[in-house]
Amino acid sequence: ILVHELGHAFAMRFYGIRSRIVLYHFGGLAISDSFGAWDGARRGRIGPREQIVISLAGPAAQLALALVVWLIGLQVGVRMELSGWIDSIIGSEIAEREFPKSMMLYALFDAILYPSTAWAILNLAPILPLDGGQVMRSGLMLTRARDPMRIAHVVSIGVGVLIGIYFMQHGQPFGLMFLLFAANNWQAMQYGSRGY
């Protein structure tokens, strides 16, 4: 989570926005200081293109961490679940390694790799407020779509419901989180249509 938020924070600073990171029980946030965000917007530094870069920087940092840890694991000879996933996709034999003698070593590598890959990929789903939703909204603004926020909310509702149902049907209770994202987007869309 910290690496993910550092990716956002460094991207914000690249555009001249001071930021800080807040970690909490559901994850974390890279928050721009209000004056820094205003100053960056005033100077024309932050538009939809820059917001896309900032949004993608978090998952990119996570995936970069996963790649480094995975490469180290391959060199050390640790059997990792990520290698099994890659084997099933490309048909290689990377995962054909013995489990390490220390279960702590195995757990350490998988504990870093699983969240750094699975959550980074899920975070790219086109659902507000996830990073993928921010990218979608900024992309709609770039295409000058009519009412980009409403379109982003509609897509977020549909994708949130689909992913939520999928995970719930497969016994994954965090599917509720995606259903809540869908409900929040429905509520935000209703408030937006009433002019709140």
Side-chain angles (χ1 to χ4, degrees), residues 29-190:
L29 293 170
I31 301 172
S32 61
D33 293 339
S34 57
F35 178 77
W38 177 82
D39 189 45
R42 181 177 61 82
R43 294 182 189 181
R45 292 185 193 155
I46 302 303
R49 283 186 180 84
E50 292 79 13
Q51 187 57 53
I52 289 171
V53 171
I54 291 169
S55 296
L56 291 177
Q62 259 184 295
L63 293 172
L65 172 66
L67 179 63
V68 168
V69 170
W70 182 64
L71 292 173
I72 291 170
L74 288 177
Q75 291 300 312
V76 174
V78 176
R79 185 171 180 172
M80 298 168 284
E81 193 174 334
L82 180 62
S83 298
W85 294 344
I86 293 170
D87 285 351
S88 67
I89 293 169
I90 65 173
S92 69
E93 295 180 3
I94 300 170
E96 298 300 320
R97 297 173 182 271
E98 292 184 18
F99 283 100
K101 294 188 180 2
S102 165
M103 201 54 159
M104 288 296 288
L105 186 63
Y106 171 74
L108 173 67
F109 276 87
D110 266 0
I112 294 173
L113 284 174
Y114 181 74
S116 289
T117 52
W119 285 110
I121 291 167
L122 284 174
N123 201 331
L124 291 172
I127 303 170
L128 290 170
L130 300 178
D131 292 326
Q134 303 296 334
V135 170
M136 171 185 59
R137 185 189 63 202
S138 296
L140 288 167
M141 291 169 71
L142 283 173
T143 63
R144 302 189 196 289
R146 185 171 175 248
D147 202 354
M149 274 309 293
R150 182 171 179 79
I151 295 170
H153 286 310
V154 169
V155 172
S156 296
I157 292 165
V159 175
V161 167
L162 290 173
I163 292 176
I165 290 172
Y166 173 82
F167 281 124
M168 295 299 289
Q169 286 180 336
H170 288 84
Q172 300 292 332
F174 64 85
L176 283 173
M177 178 177 66
F178 289 93
L179 295 175
L180 285 172
F181 286 149
N184 288 341
N185 276 282
W186 173 261
Q187 188 176 33
M189 189 172 68
Q190 298 308 308

